Every structure is written in C-alpha cells, then in structure tokens.
Amino acid sequence: MGTLLLLFVCLLLGALVARYAKPPAGTVHGINWWVINIALPALVLELVPKLRIDAQLWFPVAAMWVVFFGGWLLFATLGRWLGWSRERIGALTLVCGLGNTSFMGYPMMQALHGKEGLALAVVADQLGCFPLLASAGVAVASLYAGKVPQPMVIARRILTFPSFLALILSVIVGALGGWPAMLDSVFTPIGATLTPLALFSVGMQFKFHLGERQLSALTLGLGWKLLLAPLACWLLGTAAGVGGLTLTVGVLQAGMAPMISAAILADEYKLEPSLANTILGAGIVLSLVTVPLGNLLLGG
C-alpha cells in the first residue's frame, strides 16, 4: 500500500507543480531524458540478468502485439462503420494500441508484485511495447498521415535506443552468471529513481479536454485498452497454458494506461492530437483503478 500511495503522490505532485509552481521550460523534457536514457537502462541492467528464463516468457511480449494489432483491426473496422476520419483511426490505434508499460507499468508492477513482477514488466516493455512503438507505431502514424514509412529510420531508432542496448548486454551478462555485487550496488539506486520521476513527469503532462463528438471515440478507445485488450490477452494466455505471475503481469501490462510517447507521435503526425491527449489523461486516471482491480481478479 505504501508503494501504491507513492504512485498517487508523485502523480499529484507533478500535476500540482505544472499547474501552480510554473517550473522552468524544458523541465519535463529533462526529467524524461534522465528516465529514458539513464534510469531505465540502469533498471534493465539490474533486473534482466537475474530473470529466470522459462518457456512462458513469450506471453508478456505476445500480449503487447495482441493489444496493438487487435486495436488496429477494431478501430479500422469501427472507423468505416461510424464514418471516422483517417486521423481519428490512426490516433486511436496509437494511443489505445500502445500501453504506458514503462512510466506507469514499472511502478505499478513493482508496487503489486515486487522485483519479480518488475522484471517481467521490463520484458513486456522492452521486447514488446517499445519495438512496436518504434516500428508498427511509426508505420501506422505515417500511413494515416499520408506519409511513407522509412524502414532504415525505424531500424536505427530501435537499435540505438539505450535501454534496448542495455537489454542485449544484460542477456549476455545473465548467461555468464550476472554482474559483480559492486556493479549491482550502482545500478540499483540509479534504477530506483525511475518510479518517482516517471510518475512526476506523467503528472506534469496530464491533460483532459474533451472536444465535441469525441465522447464515443474516447469510450470505445478506453473500452478496448483498459477492458477488452487485457481480457483478450487473458484468454490467449489461459488457452496456451500460461499461468502464475507471468500470466498476471502480461495481462496487467496489456491493460495499462495509454502510452505518452504514442500521444506525442499522434501529435507529431497531426492525428487528432486533442483526442489523443484526452484519451491519455483519462486512461491514466482510470488505470489507477482498473489495473489494481484486474490484479485482484487475477488473484494477485
């Protein structure tokens, strides 16, 4: 409960600072830079070498693919039926197909399931959600904005991402027996900065401005992201014989709030940015209830 309280406090502090304290321009960018380029790689370097490899680790990764491509199919179909614009279909596919599996997912999985759950959350994020954002996410954004995807740019984005490089190194180190204790003592406190800073940053970026004729898209988008997508992943995992903490973390990561970077991508490609940011804000708040509730239903 103390760790869950930390999540609420950091989110609230971020929102209050953004609204009342007038922080210097670039504060959010600076915090995000530290989280993405320093804290996240340190966390990966700490946790992944200790991860016990088993045959069920495919599931947290596959769950992220189910969420993205299932959402794309759903919104493309609904879009034709409801007469949505290409921009709206693209925006919903991005923000409701990609989850906040790092900034929100890591702190929540650590709060609910400790270091073991956090390690599985890293697998879902680094092998599932992040490559999807950098590849299929960019491709979808380009297609619905009328642009041509650039495969070399996408490949370079994935292969040079700091935490992805840390993941490759961690797998090698884990196979060789792990880090010396002295290095572990360095990675741990640096990685520990991710939770408070990431949630503080999310709070500072929180927005909710519902425009005209956006309510149905908001409801359908979050209905998929927070309810139907994790249900579909639970059905997949159960049918495949996945169980225990691997099933729980995979399903909870599938039902995580929309990804901040996906909303930024929608804004960059002019895919109805107001709707994307509204879904992001509403999804963050609602996921603080739906994820712990889902954890209880899964027996966590």
Side-chain angles (χ1 to χ4, degrees):
M1 289 301 296
T3 311
L4 283 174
L5 179 61
L6 174 65
L7 306 187
F8 285 100
V9 169
C10 290
L11 277 170
L12 181 61
L13 282 173
L16 291 174
V17 166
R19 184 171 179 84
Y20 298 110
K22 295 183 174 60
T27 298
V28 169
H29 177 75
I31 292 173
N32 289 350
W33 188 93
W34 170 270
V35 168
I36 291 171
N37 294 287
I38 305 296
L40 180 52
L43 192 65
V44 171
L45 291 170
E46 177 199 356
L47 295 176
V48 172
K50 302 171 186 174
L51 185 65
R52 182 175 58 86
I53 304 299
D54 64 49
Q56 296 187 349
L57 278 182
W58 64 270
F59 174 70
V61 178
M64 303 301 100
W65 287 68
V66 169
V67 176
F68 183 83
F69 288 103
W72 189 2
L73 176 62
L74 175 65
F75 300 128
T77 303
L78 287 174
R80 286 193 295 270
W81 183 42
L82 297 173
W84 287 346
S85 65
R86 290 177 57 84
E87 290 79 8
R88 174 163 292 189
I89 295 171
L92 284 168
T93 300
L94 290 175
V95 295
C96 299
L98 295 164
N100 204 329
T101 50
S102 54
F103 277 33
M104 295 287 292
Y106 289 0
M108 293 193 80
M109 291 307 99
Q110 184 175 21
L112 294 170
H113 295 289
K115 283 291 181 75
E116 190 177 356
L118 179 57
L120 290 168
V122 168
V123 172
D125 178 62
Q126 289 299 300
L127 293 180
C129 217
F130 165 69
L132 276 170
L133 168 69
S135 57
V138 173
V140 164
S142 300
L143 288 171
Y144 283 95
K147 299 180 180 179
V148 178
Q150 298 177 303
M152 291 302 297
V153 173
I154 292 171
R156 185 168 64 249
R157 183 176 296 189
I158 294 173
L159 295 175
T160 59
F161 192 63
S163 58
F164 185 78
L165 296 174
L167 179 66
I168 301 301
L169 178 59
S170 296
V171 171
I172 296 171
V173 169
L176 296 175
W179 298 105
M182 184 174 64
L183 281 178
D184 248 351
S185 68
V186 174
F187 296 141
T188 300
I190 296 175
T193 63
L194 184 142
T195 292
L197 289 178
L199 270 296
F200 183 79
S201 173
V202 170
M204 288 191 70
Q205 298 172 81
F206 180 81
K207 294 178 183 178
F208 185 82
H209 300 293
L210 188 63
E212 291 184 18
R213 299 179 181 177
Q214 290 184 343
L215 181 59
S216 62
L218 173 74
T219 304
L220 291 168
L222 290 180
W224 166 253
K225 187 69 195 74
L226 302 180
L227 297 175
L228 295 179
L231 176 60
C233 292
W234 177 80
L235 290 171
L236 170 66
T238 303
V242 179
L245 190 58
T246 303
L247 176 67
T248 299
V249 172
V251 171
L252 294 180
Q253 284 284 64
M256 202 55 64
M259 182 191 282
I260 294 174
S261 298
I264 294 172
L265 192 61
D267 186 47
E268 180 182 340
Y269 282 82
K270 296 180 173 56
L271 300 175
E272 204 164 342
S274 63
L275 175 63
N277 283 300
T278 298
I279 290 174
L280 174 66
I284 287 171
V285 172
L286 289 173
S287 70
L288 294 172
V289 176
T290 58
V291 172
L293 180 59
N295 185 62
L296 288 175
L297 292 174
L298 289 165

